[in-house]
Amino acid sequence: MKHLKYNFIISALIWAAAPFAFAQQANVNLDWDPQKNTEKLVPYGGNVISPEVHDDHTITFRLKAPEAQKVELTGGPILLALKSKTNIPFVKDGEGLWSLTVGPVMPNIYVYRLLLDGVAIADPNNTLAGTSNQPAYSNVVVHDKKGAYYDALNVPHGNVTRHIYHSKVLNGEREMFVYTPPGYLPVKKYKVLYLLGGSGELASGWTLDGRANFIADNLLAEGKMLPTIIVMPNNQVIHRNDPKHLEKTYQLFEQELRKEIVPFVDSHYSTVKNRDGRAIAGLSMGGRHTQAVGFNALDLFSSFGILSAGDLEPEKLNPSFFNDPQVKSKVNYLLIGLGSGELDFVGKRSEATHKALEKIGVKHEYFIGGEGAHDWGTWRMLLHDKLLPNVWHIEPSSK
């Protein structure tokens, strides 16, 4: 099987010893405060500074649009952080510059868009743009006094490799990203976490927005997780707006896992090639895939993470799992986790799955917490606080 592979080796950064600060959005280093305006320089290719993140955790957004009639801030994560249920309007000055200062908000990374006369757009002056299986968006990084658990810190870093492989199941070229921990040695055997994205996400989402590789680097440096290979495949197997998406996706993704993804990983990496060495987890639609497909693949996986997902009738979704008299001994670790701000969105599904597991006595962790809702703030937190430290039942070191 032919493949292309690109190694991205993240060099260590020494924050405290930096002799000077770079301008915001300069993209010189992997800065943990990239939108703090230190030199009053406009981003390359832009015409104003936006966003500008202040030390008091307030944010100023700007847009030069003299002909516009209305500009607003929109986006679920940023509006939730601001406790606003409606879009927030900008104010226009005599030069045609629209501006808005909001906050303070908790340090984190927030997705947002601008509404320009009713049209949602990415901030044209923000170099931290995101794209996936949906229209482009912007990220604003609200910094604290030091790097966060999801930042590139001065610790040993693992590698992220992009693989292109041919799928006979889906009749085309597909991609997956694979994280190997720092010091990876082919002579050792590593357990593998298969980490899935949600609707609208691509294989790159868990590294670009989820910061999974940096989270793992930092946990490993603290002795809080086992060295693990993290596989981030593309679990989009059919157009999300296909009228038969729900009917087709589970069967297709199970075939892709069994026939393409898992065999590829086991043949290219030094893995523990049994169910006790494999876990599967995902956010939103990836959580649904974990439940609908993973629970039916107990021959492949022994540990599971259902993030911001669940099912109202889990016994009907996975009858073989819930009717298996030996299932309690087949599940090593199972997390159902969601954000405190998404109880009305997926809360009932998560709770129903939790209660169904309780009913048959399957040990699992049911966690609701954090400041976020159905967003990357929640999923980064669940990966760092719950999934990676606990999936292999490794006790943290006393560092």
Side-chain angles (χ1 to χ4, degrees):
M1 185 180 294
K2 293 182 179 179
H3 69 279
L4 299 174
K5 116 176 161 175
Y6 303 88
N7 288 331
F8 301 101
I9 303 176
I10 311 301
S11 59
L13 305 175
I14 305 176
W15 309 107
F20 56 89
F22 292 101
Q24 71 143 19
Q25 301 188 60
N27 295 308
V28 175
N29 292 335
L30 295 172
D31 295 316
W32 50 268
D33 58 348
Q35 291 159 330
K36 177 182 178 181
N37 185 16
T38 56
E39 296 184 34
K40 305 296 183 183
L41 297 178
V42 173
Y44 181 74
N47 56 21
V48 294
I49 295 172
S50 179
E52 181 178 352
V53 178
H54 310 287
D55 286 338
D56 63 358
H57 301 159
T58 60
I59 313 163
T60 299
F61 299 93
R62 300 180 180 92
L63 180 68
K64 187 75 171 179
E67 304 301 320
Q69 300 300 307
K70 188 177 184 180
V71 178
E72 296 175 289
L73 177 69
T74 190
I78 189 63
L79 294 182
L80 177 66
L82 293 167
K83 298 180 173 57
S84 177
K85 295 183 178 181
T86 60
N87 300 326
I88 304 174
F90 282 54
V91 175
K92 184 181 182 181
D93 69 10
E95 303 294 322
L97 176 66
W98 297 81
S99 61
L100 169 67
T101 297
V102 295
V105 297
M106 294 283 292
N108 212 324
I109 306 172
Y110 299 100
V111 169
Y112 74 96
R113 289 186 175 96
L114 305 181
L115 274 179
L116 177 61
D117 288 337
V119 179
I121 63 171
D123 187 337
N125 293 285
N126 187 351
T127 66
L128 301 183
T131 56
S132 51
N133 187 31
Q134 57 181 306
Y137 50 88
S138 296
N139 283 312
V140 55
V141 180
V142 180
H143 60 268
D144 208 345
K145 295 180 180 179
K146 61 180 181 179
Y149 67 86
Y150 47 74
D151 283 318
L153 304 180
N154 184 16
V155 300
H157 294 282
N159 293 340
V160 177
T161 303
R162 184 192 187 204
H163 290 277
I164 309 298
Y165 69 96
H166 180 77
S167 170
K168 293 181 180 179
V169 172
L170 296 167
N171 191 29
E173 310 312 306
R174 290 173 58 78
E175 68 176 353
M176 72 174 80
F177 290 80
V178 179
Y179 167 85
T180 49
Y184 170 80
L185 295 172
V187 295
K188 294 178 61 177
K189 297 295 182 182
Y190 295 83
K191 294 187 176 184
V192 183
L193 168 64
Y194 289 82
L195 194 55
L196 312 178
S199 295
E201 304 297 338
L202 295 178
S204 57
W206 266 112
T207 53
L208 297 180
D209 287 318
R211 307 286 189 93
N213 53 313
F214 294 146
I215 291 173
D217 290 340
N218 296 333
L219 285 172
L220 285 166
E222 295 174 7
K224 293 182 177 179
M225 67 171 280
L226 186 76
T228 299
I229 294 172
I230 303 176
V231 177
M232 295 157 280
N234 179 7
N235 58 316
Q236 307 286 338
V237 292
I238 188 170
H239 195 293
R240 189 61 183 85
N241 288 332
D242 188 293
K244 294 186 178 180
H245 176 269
L246 195 61
E247 179 183 332
K248 297 177 180 179
T249 186
Y250 299 145
Q251 182 181 4
L252 282 172
F253 185 60
E254 181 170 1
Q255 291 181 45
E256 184 72 3
L257 265 177
R258 289 186 176 277
K259 297 179 180 180
E260 304 290 353
I261 297 172
V262 172
F264 183 96
V265 172
D266 280 348
S267 66
H268 287 79
Y269 291 91
S270 183
T271 63
V272 178
K273 295 177 176 62
N274 59 47
R275 61 182 306 275
D276 288 324
R278 299 191 194 101
I280 186 169
L283 66 92
S284 194
M285 185 185 76
R288 291 277 292 174
H289 283 167
T290 296
Q291 186 172 353
V293 177
F295 280 13
N296 285 345
L298 291 176
D299 58 315
L300 287 181
F301 306 104
S302 63
S303 296
F304 308 88
I306 301 172
L307 315 182
S308 297
D311 193 84
L312 292 175
E313 297 180 303
E315 297 93 343
K316 291 184 179 180
L317 181 66
N318 297 105
S320 61
F321 180 93
F322 284 93
N323 292 320
D324 184 348
Q326 304 299 321
V327 71
K328 287 190 289 186
S329 64
K330 295 178 180 179
V331 175
N332 292 339
Y333 177 76
L334 201 166
L335 167 69
I336 300 174
L338 64 159
S340 59
E342 59 177 338
L343 295 179
D344 293 336
F345 185 69
V346 297
K348 291 182 180 180
R349 293 179 180 180
S350 299
E351 184 181 23
T353 301
H354 157 61
K355 289 183 175 179
L357 291 168
E358 274 192 327
K359 185 177 179 180
I360 62 172
V362 171
K363 186 178 179 181
H364 63 284
E365 183 174 8
Y366 182 47
F367 175 83
I368 302 170
E371 302 293 328
H374 203 72
D375 55 56
W376 281 108
T378 291
W379 305 321
R380 284 189 296 265
M381 176 270 295
L382 290 172
L383 184 69
H384 175 268
D385 291 1
K386 296 296 178 180
L387 190 58
L388 288 180
N390 298 317
V391 66
W392 308 124
H393 299 286
I394 300 300
E395 291 295 330
S397 69
S398 57
K399 280 190 176 182

